[in-house]
Amino acid sequence: MVKKLTPKPDILRSEEITKNLKTRLIGKKVLFFKKITSTNLYAKQLVKDYIQEGTIVVADVQTHGLGRKNRFWHSPAGGLWFSVVLYPHIPTDKGMLITMASSVSVAQAFKEITGLNPEVKWPNDLLLNGKKVCGILTEIDADINKINYIIVGIGINVNNDIDEELKEIAISLKQEVGSKISRVKLLRSILQHLDSNYNKLIFGEFESIRDAWLSYSSIIGRKIQVEDEKNVTKGVVIDIDDGGYIILKTDSGMIRIISGDVKYL
Ligand code: BTN
């Protein structure tokens, strides 16, 4: 008798995600929703009641996914859309490193689960073949010298179809690998890497996060343009400092850039 092999359905459920997960902090509590407005919005509600650190909010579908600069983030079924709640005791000017630790963790998980080697694009994108496969929205609430909370929202095109109008700039893991990827396996791997990278961060190993990030980047020495709300600045990248900022050599001298959209020239 021939045994018919039916592929295991790719179902994201809290128990599947947490079962035997060997993390210290990240993913100890997982809240799963079939449909939600935005996992970041929901996580922000949870911090009002001081939900435990490392809690994950994950959804199959987001109806109002948030991207950087208030852009709409397409979040159909098949993708991986989740947010992590953190209360890091680190200097406020090191908050940016949380985004870097997160993109490094996603890159490490991609490598582990798919064998693919993504490129990180400052500050928060992951690219495959030059197209965006993952975006990270880090929302920080801080006083002058204290971070109150950070919500790290991670969106990955895994098995979802890419919208027609985004096909030039976005890609899914399924497209790149040629078959479906288990979102549960991928998420568990990300949580494990994030747990370890976050641990390094809160113990002050800022350079090790920066160095790990640089190992997935080709930004040093590149001519770039950085656009923020007010300015477009052009120059050559000299370094990424241990706070995660770009050190740019421009015609009018060296400057340190904190945020903006980067374009390689
Ligand atoms: C970007 O603009 O590149 C950041 C996109 C971040 C999207 C993720 S999906 C999960 C989390 N919830 C949201 O509403 N946004 C983030």
Side-chain angles (χ1 to χ4, degrees):
M1 196 178 95
V2 181
K3 199 169 168 207
K4 208 171 158 199
L5 282 177
T6 40
K8 217 177 160 213
D10 178 35
I11 298 175
L12 272 181
R13 288 292 175 269
S14 308
E15 316 78 65
E16 298 275 326
I17 298 163
T18 52
K19 199 159 68 190
N20 298 325
L21 188 70
K22 306 244 173 336
T23 58
R24 193 184 61 89
L25 193 72
I26 309 291
K28 287 281 173 211
K29 186 179 178 79
V30 173
L31 302 172
F32 168 78
F33 296 86
K34 280 195 164 171
K35 196 185 258 185
I36 200 168
T37 50
S38 150
T39 56
N40 265 41
L41 275 181
Y42 193 84
K44 264 189 268 180
Q45 293 302 317
L46 296 176
V47 295
K48 290 186 183 157
D49 294 326
Y50 206 77
I51 187 97
Q52 77 186 65
E53 184 170 33
T55 296
I56 307 297
V57 182
V58 55
D60 263 337
V61 172
Q62 294 185 119
T63 54
H64 294 80
L66 289 171
R68 282 174 62 228
K69 298 189 174 169
N70 266 330
R71 293 176 188 133
F72 178 75
W73 181 262
H74 292 261
S75 321
L80 188 52
W81 325 119
F82 68 102
S83 302
V84 187
V85 175
L86 300 169
Y87 307 108
H89 296 285
I90 55 172
T92 44
D93 68 341
K94 297 286 191 263
M96 166 84 179
L97 285 176
I98 301 270
T99 305
M100 287 189 150
S102 307
S103 37
V104 164
S105 306
V106 176
Q108 289 167 333
F110 276 14
K111 220 173 189 175
E112 186 180 305
I113 303 295
T114 68
L116 295 171
N117 200 9
E119 185 189 340
V120 290
K121 181 160 173 263
W122 193 89
N124 64 350
D125 291 349
L126 265 89
L127 310 181
L128 286 171
N129 278 331
K131 293 186 179 182
K132 184 156 166 169
V133 64
C134 167
I136 301 179
L137 174 67
T138 309
E139 299 192 76
I140 304 187
D141 184 88
D143 298 327
I144 291 176
N145 51 17
K146 179 177 173 279
I147 294 176
N148 299 319
Y149 68 79
I150 297 190
I151 308 289
V152 183
I154 301 181
I156 307 172
N157 296 316
V158 184
N159 301 317
N160 53 300
D161 293 330
I162 303 293
D163 252 47
E164 207 51 51
E165 80 260 25
L166 295 174
K167 280 193 172 151
E168 287 285 302
I169 53 165
I171 196 165
S172 71
L173 277 177
K174 185 177 87 173
Q175 267 173 282
E176 207 48 26
V177 173
S179 59
K180 278 193 170 186
I181 306 294
S182 159
R183 288 175 305 162
V184 172
K185 271 195 193 155
L186 182 64
L187 178 55
R188 284 170 59 90
S189 171
I190 295 170
L191 299 181
Q192 260 143 7
H193 286 292
L194 186 57
D195 196 65
S196 138
N197 290 319
Y198 183 63
N199 209 34
K200 289 184 186 159
L201 198 54
I202 54 176
F203 282 101
E205 293 181 37
F206 304 132
E207 283 200 12
S208 104
I209 299 299
R210 166 192 168 273
D211 293 349
W213 188 90
L214 278 176
S215 73
Y216 289 97
S217 164
S218 62
I219 199 169
I220 304 282
R222 298 281 292 269
K223 191 155 192 238
I224 63 164
Q225 162 183 309
V226 189
E227 189 175 350
D228 63 19
E229 286 78 24
K230 292 186 199 136
N231 303 304
V232 175
T233 315
K234 289 182 184 172
V236 175
V237 180
I238 301 302
D239 202 1
I240 299 289
D241 71 14
D242 73 356
Y245 303 111
I246 289 182
I247 310 295
L248 200 65
K249 187 175 176 197
T250 71
D251 288 345
S252 40
M254 294 286 217
I255 56 167
R256 190 170 177 249
I257 297 191
I258 293 165
S259 70
D261 284 333
V262 166
K263 208 191 235 171
Y264 292 124
L265 298 175

